[in-house]
Amino acid sequence: MAMKRCLGWLLLALPGLPGVAWAAEETEVLNGTQCGHREPGDTRPRIGVALGGGGARGIAHVRILKQLEALHIPVDCIAGTSAGALVGALYASGKTPEQIEKVVLDTNWMAMFSDTLPRRERSLRRKGDDYEQLAPIGIGLGGQGKRIQLAGGMAQGERLIALFETATGGSRVSGDFDDLSIPFRAIATDLNTGEAVILDHGSLPLAMRASMSLPGIFRPITIGDRVLLDGGVANQVPIDVVRAMGADRVIAVDVGTPLTELDRDASLVDVIGQLSGFLTTRNAQRQLDTLGPQDLLISPPLTGKVATGDFDKAALALEIGQQAADTAAPALRAFSQPEPAWQRWYAVREQRAARAAPAPIEFIEVRNHTAYADELLLSYLPVEVGKPLDSKGMQEGVLRAYGMDTLASIGYEETRRDGRVGVVITAYEKPNGPAYLEAGFRLSNDLDGNHESNLRAGLLFAPLSPYGAEARVTVQLGSEPAIQGSYYHPFDVGNRYAFEAAAGYETRSFNVFDDQGNKTSRYRVQRTGASVDLARNVSNVLTLRVGVERFAGNARMDIGSPQVPRTSFDEGALTASATYDNIDSVYFPRNGFLVNLGTYQSQEWLGADTRFGQIDLDAVGAFPIGSNAVQLGLRYHVTASGTAPLQSLYRLGGRWRLAGFQQNQLTGQNYALAFAGYTYELGKVLGRSAQVGGTVEYGNAWQRRSDMSISDGIWNGSLFLGFDSWIGPLIFGIGMREGGHRVVFIELGQSL
């Protein structure tokens, strides 16, 4: 994260560093009357607070504000940059320091840096991407100028905006920041000029988000006709802003990271970090140099203890902020007011913080800059004319819309026009679309000569219709080469009914082992064909499908006797399935259920060589217990009629599928197994989970259904260490089965 931030700041700074306009471009609109309300005869010097930026270091601001209240120091106006805008806006909106402290301690800050929905909340279409074993890599085709283009940043920051909405006690209501309980200004940076932009009206949560638009971490945000980045680039400690608002005395809090003393052995990351530091430290020093004897500077000693990205050290930042507040207490007493004056100020603040009841919405406007239909975007947002705005529902709806994974931004703002209250919804598609590159990798190795690996690359085209049709082309290289294309077309705005067609070429391998587990031969099956499905998506957890497929191919012995002839085959079948999917992960499940019931009915009248029918049931449940989780599962797959040919045999082996056998070591017309698993989450690295666990499995494969018996099962088990890496879930473990057989395995991308 630090590397990305440094690169982003460097790229912004280098092209025009000597010509950056450090003065806030809109300071002239401040006429010195915005710093607090004055009653007739009130001559008290106005006190302005300037809260500087610094990421997690800015959490120390909270204890400074707490000290001001303890010493009866009224704050007449506030200006904040980045983290200073966060704390300052919350205080200006009427929150107490104690309430702000609760927000910063209770928030999962790492989750704020991602708009990714938890898997259980995604649409069934996006859940299905897990089985495709493909993930977007942030590169697209056909964007602006029809060229290859990168994504604009890690996240739009919608979770952060939702946090700000909840914390400030309102929705994205457009208003004047002078009307808050304390007049407030947020500082951002114009991406195209490098100049500071003072945000004094509009949506308070959006202003907070704009001021915290860390380059490379969050996408720039558009307000009005400006594209805005983190305010620290242009004005790290906005002393000039509070003074222009009318502050007679200024309390400035600087939590910025000072420059590091480097030597000739400095790394590239060190150098980039130092260059980005030049931006903030130099403009901060310009501001601090303007402080006079009537003002006060507080600099909490955070260096070496809390870094910009150390949001997990919120408690320590608060403690250091308290130390700085206690040290500054003697100097702060010069700002203290007598009890009557303090009580008058506090009463006015409380009165201004009171909120009127929300008014019913009278109009809805959609500014749609995507290929999706307006009604599709509105289907995610619970907004109705004649009813007050449901802020919580709108926040949840925005995040669900992001679950389509093709929107750069979708937001809303409550506004007033000619005395009427309305909502303006704005949506933009990703700049790196509408063709998105995807990649995946799957590996299985038992460290005993049996190795399978497949590299996958995909190109997702979305949307192809106003209701969200999409197409995907996938190429797979490795042990089982394949090329496939699919088209998915929803018929209605709710995606309740849909059509899907797929066609392509694929290969599958069937291994033959002796009683000692030695591979004696391997069959390679190749087939080409197509399938068509109709889907009924009942909800985002339940889907029903019926379909038909037609394939032709051949099977040959790849390893083994060369005298075995190649055989050709034709397949034609009717298919049906019901899937219930609300499990949180198909790799390291901790919560939820995944149930799939399906049937495959091979029919000669559809061109198949033989008639047979198969029934398939997979059911998995996961149950969290703190950092622990238990998994229970059942698999029952049978050839219920006829005899399945080679290419339709079931394959077993590996974790969750009799772990004491090698991948695909067991094949048969039928199989059944049950398993119990346990995992313990060791911790997370940048939001990625590391786990240790094991399984106990019991089952077998049979050639005849009549031979299936509970007493004929084989006990298996596994112990493993797993990490949800950026290239897929990586698992290292050992599988065992009764009789003393052991298999050491490495897996990447293997799912339930």
Side-chain angles (χ1 to χ4, degrees):
M1 182 180 293
M3 180 66 173
K4 288 184 179 180
R5 181 180 180 185
C6 291
L7 285 172
W9 286 51
L10 179 62
L11 291 173
L12 177 67
L14 289 182
L17 187 59
V20 170
W22 299 104
E25 183 183 33
E26 298 181 14
T27 301
E28 64 269 15
V29 303
L30 300 174
N31 56 21
T33 64
Q34 292 89 6
C35 197
H37 176 71
R38 284 187 183 273
E39 296 289 345
D42 182 2
T43 60
R44 175 179 62 82
R46 286 307 182 245
I47 299 172
V49 173
L51 302 178
R57 297 162 65 94
I59 294 172
H61 289 313
V62 182
R63 289 294 176 87
I64 305 298
L65 293 177
K66 189 174 184 178
Q67 185 76 301
L68 298 186
E69 289 200 353
L71 296 175
H72 290 183
I73 300 173
V75 176
D76 298 300
C77 56
I78 306 175
T81 294
S82 196
L86 185 159
V87 176
L90 292 180
Y91 192 64
S93 67
K95 293 292 186 243
T96 66
E98 291 77 15
Q99 290 172 322
I100 302 173
E101 187 170 315
K102 188 176 189 310
V103 170
V104 299
L105 290 175
D106 291 350
T107 298
N108 179 359
W109 289 102
M110 290 306 300
M112 296 298 106
F113 296 122
S114 172
D115 293 323
T116 302
L117 274 179
R119 186 181 185 278
R120 301 180 71 189
E121 299 177 23
R122 298 178 203 162
S123 67
L124 281 167
R125 189 67 185 166
R126 294 285 72 89
K127 289 177 183 178
D129 291 345
D130 290 341
Y131 305 107
E132 293 288 339
Q133 296 169 343
L134 289 169
I137 58 176
I139 300 175
L141 305 176
Q144 299 175 3
K146 303 298 181 182
R147 63 184 186 274
I148 296 176
Q149 186 161 330
L150 300 178
M154 288 179 61
Q156 176 65 20
E158 277 299 328
R159 291 190 185 278
L160 204 60
I161 296 175
L163 169 68
F164 296 160
E165 289 183 30
T166 302
T168 56
S171 61
R172 305 179 197 190
V173 179
S174 181
D176 192 328
F177 296 168
D178 285 340
D179 295 334
L180 296 171
S181 70
I182 300 173
F184 170 74
R185 299 293 183 270
I187 313 302
T189 301
D190 190 311
L191 175 62
N192 294 302
T193 66
E195 296 176 338
V197 177
I198 302 171
L199 300 173
D200 61 358
H201 68 280
S203 164
L204 181 60
L206 288 178
M208 296 163 70
R209 161 66 177 83
S211 187
M212 294 185 66
S213 298
L214 299 174
I217 303 299
F218 292 120
R219 295 187 182 98
I221 192 167
T222 301
I223 295 181
D225 58 353
R226 295 180 179 273
V227 181
L228 303 177
L229 286 176
D230 192 283
V233 178
N235 194 344
Q236 175 77 343
V237 189
I239 296 169
D240 59 338
V241 177
V242 289
R243 210 180 293 282
M245 291 175 74
D248 300 303
R249 307 183 68 184
V250 176
I251 299 173
V253 186
D254 181 14
V255 294
T257 302
L259 296 175
T260 304
E261 186 173 342
L262 302 177
D263 56 28
R264 59 181 296 173
D265 297 323
S267 69
L268 175 62
V269 174
D270 293 333
V271 172
I272 292 175
Q274 192 82 327
L275 290 173
S276 67
F278 291 158
L279 288 171
T280 56
T281 56
R282 288 182 178 176
N283 78 66
Q285 192 57 52
R286 288 186 179 93
Q287 292 291 326
L288 299 180
D289 288 345
T290 67
L291 293 173
Q294 78 281 10
D295 305 317
L296 179 64
L297 170 64
I298 301 175
S299 300
L302 296 154
T303 302
K305 301 173 184 176
V306 179
T308 301
D310 288 343
F311 285 95
D312 58 335
K313 296 182 178 179
L316 178 58
L318 289 169
E319 179 182 334
I320 295 172
Q322 188 63 56
Q323 294 171 5
D326 292 339
T327 301
L332 283 170
R333 287 191 175 90
F335 294 80
S336 297
Q337 296 298 310
E339 182 68 20
W342 165 257
Q343 290 297 338
R344 284 194 300 273
W345 174 86
Y346 199 85
V348 170
R349 181 186 179 223
E350 290 286 296
Q351 181 181 1
R352 291 169 62 89
R355 297 183 179 277
I361 300 301
E362 298 178 73
F363 68 89
I364 301 171
E365 178 183 333
V366 180
R367 298 174 182 174
N368 187 355
H369 304 278
T370 77
Y372 291 107
D374 288 357
E375 57 182 315
L376 185 141
L377 298 177
L378 287 170
S379 70
Y380 288 94
L381 305 174
V383 55
E384 296 182 46
V385 172
K387 294 184 179 181
L389 192 65
D390 177 5
S391 298
K392 183 175 177 57
M394 293 291 282
Q395 295 164 11
E396 294 172 350
V398 164
L399 290 174
R400 284 197 305 272
Y402 271 108
M404 292 190 288
D405 208 27
T406 54
L407 296 179
S409 67
I410 178 171
Y412 68 93
E413 184 173 354
E414 187 175 333
T415 187
R416 290 182 179 271
R417 290 181 189 165
D418 303 323
R420 301 170 66 223
V421 177
V423 173
V424 177
I425 298 166
T426 306
Y428 290 90
E429 61 190 7
K430 283 186 176 180
N432 55 315
Y436 303 93
L437 287 175
E438 304 171 308
F441 187 65
R442 181 171 180 174
L443 176 146
S444 174
N445 193 327
D446 64 4
L447 304 182
D448 194 28
N450 297 302
H451 173 86
E452 302 285 344
S453 63
N454 291 294
L455 176 65
R456 294 171 62 79
L459 193 59
L460 174 67
F461 300 87
L464 296 179
S465 77
Y467 286 167
E470 58 186 48
R472 175 182 272 126
V473 176
T474 306
V475 176
Q476 179 169 292
L477 302 175
S479 303
E480 297 182 332
I483 180 168
Q484 296 174 320
S486 64
Y487 176 76
Y488 178 83
H489 188 94
F491 293 117
D492 63 307
V493 68
N495 196 16
R496 294 172 298 172
Y497 299 92
F499 161 86
E500 184 167 17
Y505 161 83
E506 63 182 21
T507 61
R508 287 186 289 176
S509 297
F510 292 82
N511 298 318
V512 178
F513 294 80
D514 60 22
D515 293 338
Q516 285 71 45
N518 300 310
K519 184 164 63 178
T520 60
S521 59
R522 182 176 69 179
Y523 286 91
R524 173 64 63 89
V525 174
Q526 302 172 310
R527 68 175 195 159
T528 305
S531 65
V532 175
D533 283 357
L534 292 176
R536 171 66 170 99
N537 299 316
V538 181
S539 67
N540 76 324
V541 298
L542 178 62
T543 185
L544 309 175
R545 281 178 173 253
V546 294
V548 60
E549 64 176 51
R550 179 73 170 88
F551 284 86
N554 61 76
R556 61 180 174 83
M557 185 168 284
D558 195 34
I559 298 175
S561 173
Q563 279 73 41
V564 177
R566 175 186 300 217
T567 61
S568 298
F569 62 82
D570 285 285
E571 298 176 314
L574 300 174
T575 62
S577 66
T579 301
Y580 180 88
D581 183 353
N582 81 333
I583 205 158
D584 62 341
S585 171
V586 296
Y587 307 109
F588 301 107
R590 296 182 54 80
N591 194 7
F593 295 90
L594 174 61
V595 180
N596 185 75
L597 176 63
T599 184
Y600 179 93
Q601 299 295 322
S602 176
Q603 302 291 326
E604 294 176 343
W605 61 271
L606 286 172
D609 293 327
T610 182
R611 180 177 178 177
F612 66 94
Q614 294 179 319
I615 298 174
D616 306 301
L617 171 65
D618 293 277
V620 180
F623 311 92
I625 309 171
S627 297
N628 310 276
V630 174
Q631 302 86 29
L632 300 175
L634 173 69
R635 303 188 191 278
Y636 182 79
H637 296 251
V638 295
T639 303
S641 62
T643 301
L646 173 68
Q647 69 273 9
S648 298
L649 293 177
Y650 295 113
R651 300 186 292 176
L652 277 175
R655 188 175 66 115
W656 309 117
R657 290 177 173 82
L658 300 184
F661 292 90
Q662 297 165 6
Q663 287 280 336
N664 305 326
Q665 182 173 345
L666 286 178
T667 58
Q669 296 279 336
N670 312 275
Y671 82 87
L673 67 89
F675 65 81
Y678 166 81
T679 54
Y680 175 77
E681 189 171 59
L682 298 172
K684 290 188 177 182
V685 179
L686 295 179
R688 299 283 181 166
S689 176
Q691 304 198 14
V692 62
T695 64
V696 176
E697 308 164 27
Y698 183 78
N700 206 345
W702 296 268
Q703 292 305 318
R704 291 194 302 253
R705 186 182 177 194
S706 60
D707 293 337
M708 297 179 71
S709 171
I710 294 179
S711 61
D712 193 29
I714 302 171
W715 284 103
N716 288 248
S718 69
L719 296 172
F720 59 86
L721 177 66
F723 177 59
D724 187 15
S725 73
W726 291 268
I727 58 173
L730 179 63
I731 298 171
F732 176 81
I734 181 171
M736 301 154 281
R737 72 177 189 268
E738 60 180 275
H741 299 279
R742 290 183 175 85
V743 176
V744 177
F745 60 85
I746 299 175
E747 296 178 355
L748 179 65
Q750 304 283 349
S751 67
L752 285 170

